[in-house]
Amino acid sequence: MARQFLWVIVPYLALVLFIAGHIWRYQRDQFGWTSKSSELLEKRQLRLGSLLFHWGILFVFVGHVMGILIPEPFYTALGVTEEMYHVIALAGGIPAGLAAFGGFVILFRRRLTVKRVRATSSTGDWVALGFLLAVIASGLSSTFLNIDSHGFDYRTTIGPWFRGLLTFRPNPAYMETVPLWFQIHILAAFGLFAVWPFTRLVHVFSFPLRYLQRSYVVYRKRMPKQAEPVNHAK
């Protein structure tokens, strides 16, 4: 029963909240659908932290797609052995994870130590940061604890389980042998998905497509005011 709850019910509840929450947020709070940038309050730490975090997360996301959504037989057909895949995953995943974690630490420290940024932080900001910390920390821990070339292969367990969720054929039995750190990472990720629509993370899905059709804004240089001619007539 617990297995069914954790690996079937909880994921679907989180996904329903993720989808329905975004629809509700867009209908009710379009003006709040923003990253609420604090660049004007502090730039130096934001620039470095944001760069590391966003690029790190981007490559981490690509790695998850390659490892979870693409079935293991696909790599076998290409001649990629389990050991080869493991080395590639570590070579790409560890730097990306460290970059994301480093960027997160800088941004989190900035939010704590810069008074003006801290004053403008909402409850949703702290909740999102808490879940992000849990996801990134547990993900890095899972990676470092699985460095052994003969370690746990998530492509034959977590991968089929997650793809089963997407095709509405979940099989929680796949999660029986999954190590604890991986389980924590997955549950933390679904927790993040559940709160996502109610935080500033919604800005991830903001695409300024209307700007492509908007008319150009013409700026004209202000001309200096010309002096009036002096009348010398008496």
Side-chain angles (χ1 to χ4, degrees):
M1 184 63 183
R3 185 176 64 188
Q4 188 81 8
F5 176 76
L6 287 176
W7 308 119
V8 178
I9 297 176
V10 168
Y12 279 129
L13 283 176
L15 292 175
V16 167
L17 280 172
F18 182 81
I19 297 171
H22 278 90
I23 296 173
W24 176 87
R25 178 78 181 272
Y26 187 78
Q27 295 294 330
R28 296 294 186 91
D29 186 28
Q30 290 191 28
F31 287 106
W33 190 290
T34 173
S35 63
K36 299 179 182 178
S37 176
S38 58
E39 184 178 0
L40 294 177
L41 305 178
E42 194 282 328
K43 290 186 178 181
R44 187 175 62 85
Q45 295 183 63
L46 177 64
R47 186 180 300 112
L48 176 60
S50 181
L51 187 67
L52 284 171
F53 177 76
H54 285 95
W55 278 109
I57 287 294
L58 177 62
F59 283 101
V60 166
F61 175 76
V62 172
H64 280 65
V65 170
M66 293 176 61
I68 304 300
L69 293 183
I70 300 178
E72 187 268 341
F74 176 82
Y75 293 102
T76 302
L78 294 178
V80 179
T81 65
E82 180 181 342
E83 184 175 353
M84 290 170 59
Y85 174 84
H86 194 69
V87 171
I88 294 172
L90 291 176
I94 290 179
L98 289 175
F101 184 72
F104 175 86
V105 170
I106 293 172
L107 295 175
F108 188 74
R109 177 183 178 277
R110 172 180 179 269
R111 190 161 295 278
L112 281 176
T113 59
V114 179
K115 293 182 179 180
R116 293 188 297 173
V117 177
R118 187 172 68 248
T120 59
S121 300
S122 65
T123 302
D125 295 333
W126 297 113
V127 171
L129 286 170
F131 275 106
L132 279 171
L133 176 60
V135 172
I136 296 173
S138 59
L140 271 177
S141 300
S142 301
T143 301
F144 282 116
L145 292 172
N146 198 44
I147 289 181
D148 182 11
S149 60
H150 300 289
F152 171 70
D153 187 4
Y154 49 82
R155 296 179 302 163
T156 59
T157 51
I158 299 176
W161 164 78
F162 187 76
R163 293 193 297 273
L165 288 176
L166 298 180
T167 57
F168 300 102
R169 291 181 296 178
N171 184 359
Y174 280 116
M175 300 300 292
E176 287 184 351
T177 59
V178 174
L180 178 62
W181 280 112
F182 282 92
Q183 294 184 9
I184 294 174
H185 179 60
I186 294 168
L187 292 175
F190 279 113
L192 179 63
F193 292 153
V195 303
W196 188 302
F198 314 104
T199 68
R200 70 174 67 196
L201 294 174
V202 294
H203 79 276
V204 171
F205 302 107
S206 298
F207 301 97
L209 298 179
R210 292 183 180 179
Y211 283 93
L212 300 176
Q213 298 177 342
R214 193 182 70 173
S215 301
Y216 288 104
V217 178
V218 179
Y219 294 93
R220 292 185 175 89
K221 186 177 180 180
R222 177 178 291 182
M223 300 299 293
K225 187 177 181 180
Q226 295 181 354
E228 296 181 1
V230 180
N231 188 359
H232 296 285
K234 294 183 179 180

PDB file of all heavy atoms in Angstrom, residues 187-215:
ATOM      1  N   LEU A 187      11.075  12.032  -4.880  1.00  0.00           N
ATOM      2  CA  LEU A 187       9.971  12.597  -4.108  1.00  0.00           C
ATOM      3  C   LEU A 187      10.139  14.109  -3.934  1.00  0.00           C
ATOM      4  O   LEU A 187       9.154  14.859  -3.970  1.00  0.00           O
ATOM      5  CB  LEU A 187       9.877  11.915  -2.747  1.00  0.00           C
ATOM      6  CG  LEU A 187       9.456  10.443  -2.786  1.00  0.00           C
ATOM      7  CD1 LEU A 187       9.518   9.825  -1.382  1.00  0.00           C
ATOM      8  CD2 LEU A 187       8.044  10.304  -3.363  1.00  0.00           C
ATOM      9  N   ALA A 188      11.378  14.564  -3.754  1.00  0.00           N
ATOM     10  CA  ALA A 188      11.623  16.006  -3.646  1.00  0.00           C
ATOM     11  C   ALA A 188      11.271  16.705  -4.958  1.00  0.00           C
ATOM     12  O   ALA A 188      10.722  17.820  -4.963  1.00  0.00           O
ATOM     13  CB  ALA A 188      13.083  16.264  -3.279  1.00  0.00           C
ATOM     14  N   ALA A 189      11.573  16.049  -6.090  1.00  0.00           N
ATOM     15  CA  ALA A 189      11.250  16.629  -7.392  1.00  0.00           C
ATOM     16  C   ALA A 189       9.743  16.756  -7.584  1.00  0.00           C
ATOM     17  O   ALA A 189       9.244  17.780  -8.069  1.00  0.00           O
ATOM     18  CB  ALA A 189      11.854  15.779  -8.508  1.00  0.00           C
ATOM     19  N   PHE A 190       8.995  15.733  -7.174  1.00  0.00           N
ATOM     20  CA  PHE A 190       7.540  15.823  -7.295  1.00  0.00           C
ATOM     21  C   PHE A 190       6.969  16.866  -6.324  1.00  0.00           C
ATOM     22  O   PHE A 190       5.968  17.518  -6.631  1.00  0.00           O
ATOM     23  CB  PHE A 190       6.896  14.461  -7.063  1.00  0.00           C
ATOM     24  CG  PHE A 190       6.932  13.583  -8.269  1.00  0.00           C
ATOM     25  CD1 PHE A 190       7.691  12.418  -8.288  1.00  0.00           C
ATOM     26  CD2 PHE A 190       6.210  13.918  -9.414  1.00  0.00           C
ATOM     27  CE1 PHE A 190       7.736  11.612  -9.414  1.00  0.00           C
ATOM     28  CE2 PHE A 190       6.246  13.116 -10.542  1.00  0.00           C
ATOM     29  CZ  PHE A 190       7.003  11.963 -10.550  1.00  0.00           C
ATOM     30  N   GLY A 191       7.595  17.036  -5.173  1.00  0.00           N
ATOM     31  CA  GLY A 191       7.186  18.114  -4.280  1.00  0.00           C
ATOM     32  C   GLY A 191       7.398  19.470  -4.915  1.00  0.00           C
ATOM     33  O   GLY A 191       6.554  20.375  -4.804  1.00  0.00           O
ATOM     34  N   LEU A 192       8.527  19.622  -5.608  1.00  0.00           N
ATOM     35  CA  LEU A 192       8.798  20.871  -6.332  1.00  0.00           C
ATOM     36  C   LEU A 192       7.762  21.109  -7.426  1.00  0.00           C
ATOM     37  O   LEU A 192       7.277  22.234  -7.604  1.00  0.00           O
ATOM     38  CB  LEU A 192      10.207  20.820  -6.932  1.00  0.00           C
ATOM     39  CG  LEU A 192      10.638  22.039  -7.742  1.00  0.00           C
ATOM     40  CD1 LEU A 192      10.691  23.285  -6.866  1.00  0.00           C
ATOM     41  CD2 LEU A 192      12.002  21.790  -8.397  1.00  0.00           C
ATOM     42  N   PHE A 193       7.405  20.052  -8.165  1.00  0.00           N
ATOM     43  CA  PHE A 193       6.380  20.196  -9.211  1.00  0.00           C
ATOM     44  C   PHE A 193       5.040  20.636  -8.617  1.00  0.00           C
ATOM     45  O   PHE A 193       4.305  21.414  -9.237  1.00  0.00           O
ATOM     46  CB  PHE A 193       6.199  18.870  -9.952  1.00  0.00           C
ATOM     47  CG  PHE A 193       7.381  18.472 -10.782  1.00  0.00           C
ATOM     48  CD1 PHE A 193       7.639  17.125 -11.044  1.00  0.00           C
ATOM     49  CD2 PHE A 193       8.243  19.417 -11.293  1.00  0.00           C
ATOM     50  CE1 PHE A 193       8.732  16.750 -11.808  1.00  0.00           C
ATOM     51  CE2 PHE A 193       9.339  19.048 -12.059  1.00  0.00           C
ATOM     52  CZ  PHE A 193       9.591  17.712 -12.312  1.00  0.00           C
ATOM     53  N   ALA A 194       4.724  20.150  -7.410  1.00  0.00           N
ATOM     54  CA  ALA A 194       3.438  20.467  -6.794  1.00  0.00           C
ATOM     55  C   ALA A 194       3.329  21.935  -6.408  1.00  0.00           C
ATOM     56  O   ALA A 194       2.259  22.545  -6.521  1.00  0.00           O
ATOM     57  CB  ALA A 194       3.215  19.578  -5.564  1.00  0.00           C
ATOM     58  N   VAL A 195       4.433  22.526  -5.935  1.00  0.00           N
ATOM     59  CA  VAL A 195       4.386  23.933  -5.507  1.00  0.00           C
ATOM     60  C   VAL A 195       4.767  24.891  -6.626  1.00  0.00           C
ATOM     61  O   VAL A 195       4.573  26.110  -6.496  1.00  0.00           O
ATOM     62  CB  VAL A 195       5.309  24.166  -4.290  1.00  0.00           C
ATOM     63  CG1 VAL A 195       4.931  23.247  -3.151  1.00  0.00           C
ATOM     64  CG2 VAL A 195       6.780  23.978  -4.652  1.00  0.00           C
ATOM     65  N   TRP A 196       5.304  24.377  -7.705  1.00  0.00           N
ATOM     66  CA  TRP A 196       5.821  25.188  -8.813  1.00  0.00           C
ATOM     67  C   TRP A 196       4.837  26.274  -9.275  1.00  0.00           C
ATOM     68  O   TRP A 196       5.217  27.448  -9.400  1.00  0.00           O
ATOM     69  CB  TRP A 196       6.186  24.255  -9.967  1.00  0.00           C
ATOM     70  CG  TRP A 196       6.903  24.862 -11.111  1.00  0.00           C
ATOM     71  CD1 TRP A 196       6.497  25.907 -11.900  1.00  0.00           C
ATOM     72  CD2 TRP A 196       8.183  24.449 -11.623  1.00  0.00           C
ATOM     73  NE1 TRP A 196       7.425  26.165 -12.875  1.00  0.00           N
ATOM     74  CE2 TRP A 196       8.468  25.286 -12.729  1.00  0.00           C
ATOM     75  CE3 TRP A 196       9.082  23.450 -11.273  1.00  0.00           C
ATOM     76  CZ2 TRP A 196       9.638  25.147 -13.480  1.00  0.00           C
ATOM     77  CZ3 TRP A 196      10.244  23.314 -12.011  1.00  0.00           C
ATOM     78  CH2 TRP A 196      10.516  24.158 -13.101  1.00  0.00           C
ATOM     79  N   PRO A 197       3.569  25.942  -9.565  1.00  0.00           N
ATOM     80  CA  PRO A 197       2.664  26.959 -10.125  1.00  0.00           C
ATOM     81  C   PRO A 197       2.378  28.123  -9.194  1.00  0.00           C
ATOM     82  O   PRO A 197       1.877  29.159  -9.638  1.00  0.00           O
ATOM     83  CB  PRO A 197       1.375  26.164 -10.393  1.00  0.00           C
ATOM     84  CG  PRO A 197       1.768  24.730 -10.367  1.00  0.00           C
ATOM     85  CD  PRO A 197       2.901  24.647  -9.406  1.00  0.00           C
ATOM     86  N   PHE A 198       2.679  27.968  -7.912  1.00  0.00           N
ATOM     87  CA  PHE A 198       2.332  28.984  -6.926  1.00  0.00           C
ATOM     88  C   PHE A 198       3.543  29.814  -6.504  1.00  0.00           C
ATOM     89  O   PHE A 198       3.492  30.526  -5.501  1.00  0.00           O
ATOM     90  CB  PHE A 198       1.691  28.311  -5.709  1.00  0.00           C
ATOM     91  CG  PHE A 198       0.640  27.300  -6.100  1.00  0.00           C
ATOM     92  CD1 PHE A 198       0.894  25.932  -6.031  1.00  0.00           C
ATOM     93  CD2 PHE A 198      -0.590  27.715  -6.599  1.00  0.00           C
ATOM     94  CE1 PHE A 198      -0.056  25.002  -6.413  1.00  0.00           C
ATOM     95  CE2 PHE A 198      -1.553  26.788  -6.985  1.00  0.00           C
ATOM     96  CZ  PHE A 198      -1.278  25.435  -6.896  1.00  0.00           C
ATOM     97  N   THR A 199       4.627  29.704  -7.285  1.00  0.00           N
ATOM     98  CA  THR A 199       5.852  30.442  -7.002  1.00  0.00           C
ATOM     99  C   THR A 199       6.292  31.179  -8.256  1.00  0.00           C
ATOM    100  O   THR A 199       5.659  31.099  -9.312  1.00  0.00           O
ATOM    101  CB  THR A 199       6.974  29.487  -6.554  1.00  0.00           C
ATOM    102  OG1 THR A 199       7.366  28.662  -7.675  1.00  0.00           O
ATOM    103  CG2 THR A 199       6.507  28.580  -5.415  1.00  0.00           C
ATOM    104  N   ARG A 200       7.407  31.895  -8.145  1.00  0.00           N
ATOM    105  CA  ARG A 200       7.928  32.622  -9.305  1.00  0.00           C
ATOM    106  C   ARG A 200       8.547  31.686 -10.347  1.00  0.00           C
ATOM    107  O   ARG A 200       8.972  32.143 -11.417  1.00  0.00           O
ATOM    108  CB  ARG A 200       8.954  33.660  -8.862  1.00  0.00           C
ATOM    109  CG  ARG A 200      10.258  33.094  -8.347  1.00  0.00           C
ATOM    110  CD  ARG A 200      11.259  34.189  -8.066  1.00  0.00           C
ATOM    111  NE  ARG A 200      10.850  35.043  -6.959  1.00  0.00           N
ATOM    112  CZ  ARG A 200      11.385  36.238  -6.722  1.00  0.00           C
ATOM    113  NH1 ARG A 200      12.304  36.717  -7.533  1.00  0.00           N
ATOM    114  NH2 ARG A 200      10.995  36.941  -5.682  1.00  0.00           N
ATOM    115  N   LEU A 201       8.595  30.394 -10.065  1.00  0.00           N
ATOM    116  CA  LEU A 201       9.136  29.449 -11.038  1.00  0.00           C
ATOM    117  C   LEU A 201       8.303  29.382 -12.311  1.00  0.00           C
ATOM    118  O   LEU A 201       8.759  28.843 -13.326  1.00  0.00           O
ATOM    119  CB  LEU A 201       9.245  28.052 -10.418  1.00  0.00           C
ATOM    120  CG  LEU A 201      10.254  27.895  -9.273  1.00  0.00           C
ATOM    121  CD1 LEU A 201      10.153  26.508  -8.658  1.00  0.00           C
ATOM    122  CD2 LEU A 201      11.669  28.164  -9.761  1.00  0.00           C
ATOM    123  N   VAL A 202       7.088  29.932 -12.284  1.00  0.00           N
ATOM    124  CA  VAL A 202       6.244  29.917 -13.484  1.00  0.00           C
ATOM    125  C   VAL A 202       6.899  30.669 -14.635  1.00  0.00           C
ATOM    126  O   VAL A 202       6.528  30.464 -15.799  1.00  0.00           O
ATOM    127  CB  VAL A 202       4.852  30.515 -13.203  1.00  0.00           C
ATOM    128  CG1 VAL A 202       4.072  29.647 -12.236  1.00  0.00           C
ATOM    129  CG2 VAL A 202       4.967  31.944 -12.664  1.00  0.00           C
ATOM    130  N   HIS A 203       7.861  31.533 -14.330  1.00  0.00           N
ATOM    131  CA  HIS A 203       8.481  32.313 -15.409  1.00  0.00           C
ATOM    132  C   HIS A 203       9.246  31.427 -16.394  1.00  0.00           C
ATOM    133  O   HIS A 203       9.577  31.877 -17.489  1.00  0.00           O
ATOM    134  CB  HIS A 203       9.419  33.377 -14.828  1.00  0.00           C
ATOM    135  CG  HIS A 203      10.752  32.838 -14.393  1.00  0.00           C
ATOM    136  ND1 HIS A 203      10.955  32.255 -13.159  1.00  0.00           N
ATOM    137  CD2 HIS A 203      11.952  32.786 -15.032  1.00  0.00           C
ATOM    138  CE1 HIS A 203      12.210  31.888 -13.058  1.00  0.00           C
ATOM    139  NE2 HIS A 203      12.844  32.180 -14.177  1.00  0.00           N
ATOM    140  N   VAL A 204       9.495  30.166 -16.005  1.00  0.00           N
ATOM    141  CA  VAL A 204      10.160  29.233 -16.930  1.00  0.00           C
ATOM    142  C   VAL A 204       9.335  29.059 -18.201  1.00  0.00           C
ATOM    143  O   VAL A 204       9.883  28.863 -19.295  1.00  0.00           O
ATOM    144  CB  VAL A 204      10.368  27.865 -16.240  1.00  0.00           C
ATOM    145  CG1 VAL A 204      10.854  26.825 -17.230  1.00  0.00           C
ATOM    146  CG2 VAL A 204      11.341  28.005 -15.081  1.00  0.00           C
ATOM    147  N   PHE A 205       8.011  29.165 -18.084  1.00  0.00           N
ATOM    148  CA  PHE A 205       7.124  28.946 -19.230  1.00  0.00           C
ATOM    149  C   PHE A 205       6.670  30.251 -19.871  1.00  0.00           C
ATOM    150  O   PHE A 205       5.646  30.289 -20.558  1.00  0.00           O
ATOM    151  CB  PHE A 205       5.898  28.140 -18.788  1.00  0.00           C
ATOM    152  CG  PHE A 205       6.255  26.817 -18.181  1.00  0.00           C
ATOM    153  CD1 PHE A 205       6.140  26.614 -16.814  1.00  0.00           C
ATOM    154  CD2 PHE A 205       6.734  25.784 -18.975  1.00  0.00           C
ATOM    155  CE1 PHE A 205       6.478  25.395 -16.245  1.00  0.00           C
ATOM    156  CE2 PHE A 205       7.078  24.572 -18.420  1.00  0.00           C
ATOM    157  CZ  PHE A 205       6.954  24.372 -17.053  1.00  0.00           C
ATOM    158  N   SER A 206       7.414  31.312 -19.647  1.00  0.00           N
ATOM    159  CA  SER A 206       7.079  32.599 -20.256  1.00  0.00           C
ATOM    160  C   SER A 206       7.901  32.787 -21.530  1.00  0.00           C
ATOM    161  O   SER A 206       9.131  32.823 -21.475  1.00  0.00           O
ATOM    162  CB  SER A 206       7.367  33.747 -19.280  1.00  0.00           C
ATOM    163  OG  SER A 206       6.560  33.626 -18.126  1.00  0.00           O
ATOM    164  N   PHE A 207       7.215  32.877 -22.635  1.00  0.00           N
ATOM    165  CA  PHE A 207       7.864  33.081 -23.921  1.00  0.00           C
ATOM    166  C   PHE A 207       7.307  34.370 -24.543  1.00  0.00           C
ATOM    167  O   PHE A 207       6.110  34.441 -24.828  1.00  0.00           O
ATOM    168  CB  PHE A 207       7.609  31.911 -24.872  1.00  0.00           C
ATOM    169  CG  PHE A 207       8.082  30.597 -24.341  1.00  0.00           C
ATOM    170  CD1 PHE A 207       7.201  29.730 -23.717  1.00  0.00           C
ATOM    171  CD2 PHE A 207       9.406  30.233 -24.443  1.00  0.00           C
ATOM    172  CE1 PHE A 207       7.625  28.524 -23.208  1.00  0.00           C
ATOM    173  CE2 PHE A 207       9.847  29.026 -23.928  1.00  0.00           C
ATOM    174  CZ  PHE A 207       8.966  28.165 -23.319  1.00  0.00           C
ATOM    175  N   PRO A 208       8.133  35.374 -24.744  1.00  0.00           N
ATOM    176  CA  PRO A 208       7.645  36.658 -25.270  1.00  0.00           C
ATOM    177  C   PRO A 208       7.356  36.606 -26.769  1.00  0.00           C
ATOM    178  O   PRO A 208       7.930  37.349 -27.563  1.00  0.00           O
ATOM    179  CB  PRO A 208       8.798  37.614 -24.957  1.00  0.00           C
ATOM    180  CG  PRO A 208      10.019  36.747 -25.005  1.00  0.00           C
ATOM    181  CD  PRO A 208       9.577  35.400 -24.463  1.00  0.00           C
ATOM    182  N   LEU A 209       6.426  35.716 -27.162  1.00  0.00           N
ATOM    183  CA  LEU A 209       6.140  35.551 -28.590  1.00  0.00           C
ATOM    184  C   LEU A 209       5.476  36.788 -29.190  1.00  0.00           C
ATOM    185  O   LEU A 209       5.630  37.066 -30.380  1.00  0.00           O
ATOM    186  CB  LEU A 209       5.248  34.321 -28.797  1.00  0.00           C
ATOM    187  CG  LEU A 209       5.852  32.981 -28.361  1.00  0.00           C
ATOM    188  CD1 LEU A 209       4.859  31.855 -28.597  1.00  0.00           C
ATOM    189  CD2 LEU A 209       7.147  32.699 -29.119  1.00  0.00           C
ATOM    190  N   ARG A 210       4.714  37.508 -28.362  1.00  0.00           N
ATOM    191  CA  ARG A 210       4.035  38.690 -28.894  1.00  0.00           C
ATOM    192  C   ARG A 210       5.024  39.760 -29.345  1.00  0.00           C
ATOM    193  O   ARG A 210       4.697  40.595 -30.190  1.00  0.00           O
ATOM    194  CB  ARG A 210       3.091  39.263 -27.845  1.00  0.00           C
ATOM    195  CG  ARG A 210       1.895  38.363 -27.531  1.00  0.00           C
ATOM    196  CD  ARG A 210       0.966  39.019 -26.546  1.00  0.00           C
ATOM    197  NE  ARG A 210      -0.180  38.158 -26.245  1.00  0.00           N
ATOM    198  CZ  ARG A 210      -1.140  38.480 -25.391  1.00  0.00           C
ATOM    199  NH1 ARG A 210      -1.096  39.636 -24.749  1.00  0.00           N
ATOM    200  NH2 ARG A 210      -2.150  37.640 -25.165  1.00  0.00           N
ATOM    201  N   TYR A 211       6.220  39.735 -28.779  1.00  0.00           N
ATOM    202  CA  TYR A 211       7.216  40.733 -29.169  1.00  0.00           C
ATOM    203  C   TYR A 211       7.630  40.571 -30.627  1.00  0.00           C
ATOM    204  O   TYR A 211       8.081  41.514 -31.261  1.00  0.00           O
ATOM    205  CB  TYR A 211       8.449  40.638 -28.268  1.00  0.00           C
ATOM    206  CG  TYR A 211       8.249  41.264 -26.910  1.00  0.00           C
ATOM    207  CD1 TYR A 211       7.832  40.493 -25.829  1.00  0.00           C
ATOM    208  CD2 TYR A 211       8.456  42.617 -26.699  1.00  0.00           C
ATOM    209  CE1 TYR A 211       7.632  41.061 -24.586  1.00  0.00           C
ATOM    210  CE2 TYR A 211       8.269  43.197 -25.457  1.00  0.00           C
ATOM    211  CZ  TYR A 211       7.852  42.421 -24.395  1.00  0.00           C
ATOM    212  OH  TYR A 211       7.654  42.979 -23.164  1.00  0.00           O
ATOM    213  N   LEU A 212       7.470  39.362 -31.161  1.00  0.00           N
ATOM    214  CA  LEU A 212       7.841  39.134 -32.557  1.00  0.00           C
ATOM    215  C   LEU A 212       6.889  39.841 -33.510  1.00  0.00           C
ATOM    216  O   LEU A 212       7.254  40.146 -34.649  1.00  0.00           O
ATOM    217  CB  LEU A 212       7.846  37.626 -32.850  1.00  0.00           C
ATOM    218  CG  LEU A 212       8.818  36.781 -32.016  1.00  0.00           C
ATOM    219  CD1 LEU A 212       8.643  35.314 -32.354  1.00  0.00           C
ATOM    220  CD2 LEU A 212      10.255  37.218 -32.253  1.00  0.00           C
ATOM    221  N   GLN A 213       5.645  40.089 -33.072  1.00  0.00           N
ATOM    222  CA  GLN A 213       4.657  40.741 -33.918  1.00  0.00           C
ATOM    223  C   GLN A 213       4.434  42.205 -33.549  1.00  0.00           C
ATOM    224  O   GLN A 213       3.695  42.907 -34.225  1.00  0.00           O
ATOM    225  CB  GLN A 213       3.318  39.992 -33.818  1.00  0.00           C
ATOM    226  CG  GLN A 213       3.392  38.547 -34.296  1.00  0.00           C
ATOM    227  CD  GLN A 213       2.077  37.822 -34.125  1.00  0.00           C
ATOM    228  OE1 GLN A 213       1.214  38.259 -33.362  1.00  0.00           O
ATOM    229  NE2 GLN A 213       1.908  36.721 -34.828  1.00  0.00           N
ATOM    230  N   ARG A 214       5.058  42.644 -32.487  1.00  0.00           N
ATOM    231  CA  ARG A 214       4.833  44.014 -32.031  1.00  0.00           C
ATOM    232  C   ARG A 214       5.544  45.002 -32.941  1.00  0.00           C
ATOM    233  O   ARG A 214       6.637  44.735 -33.452  1.00  0.00           O
ATOM    234  CB  ARG A 214       5.354  44.163 -30.593  1.00  0.00           C
ATOM    235  CG  ARG A 214       4.894  45.439 -29.909  1.00  0.00           C
ATOM    236  CD  ARG A 214       5.474  45.538 -28.521  1.00  0.00           C
ATOM    237  NE  ARG A 214       6.918  45.786 -28.571  1.00  0.00           N
ATOM    238  CZ  ARG A 214       7.656  46.047 -27.494  1.00  0.00           C
ATOM    239  NH1 ARG A 214       7.098  46.047 -26.306  1.00  0.00           N
ATOM    240  NH2 ARG A 214       8.946  46.262 -27.612  1.00  0.00           N
ATOM    241  N   SER A 215       4.914  46.144 -33.178  1.00  0.00           N
ATOM    242  CA  SER A 215       5.507  47.178 -34.015  1.00  0.00           C
ATOM    243  C   SER A 215       6.752  47.730 -33.333  1.00  0.00           C
ATOM    244  O   SER A 215       6.890  47.715 -32.105  1.00  0.00           O
ATOM    245  CB  SER A 215       4.503  48.307 -34.247  1.00  0.00           C
ATOM    246  OG  SER A 215       3.342  47.811 -34.871  1.00  0.00           O
TER     247      SER A 215
END
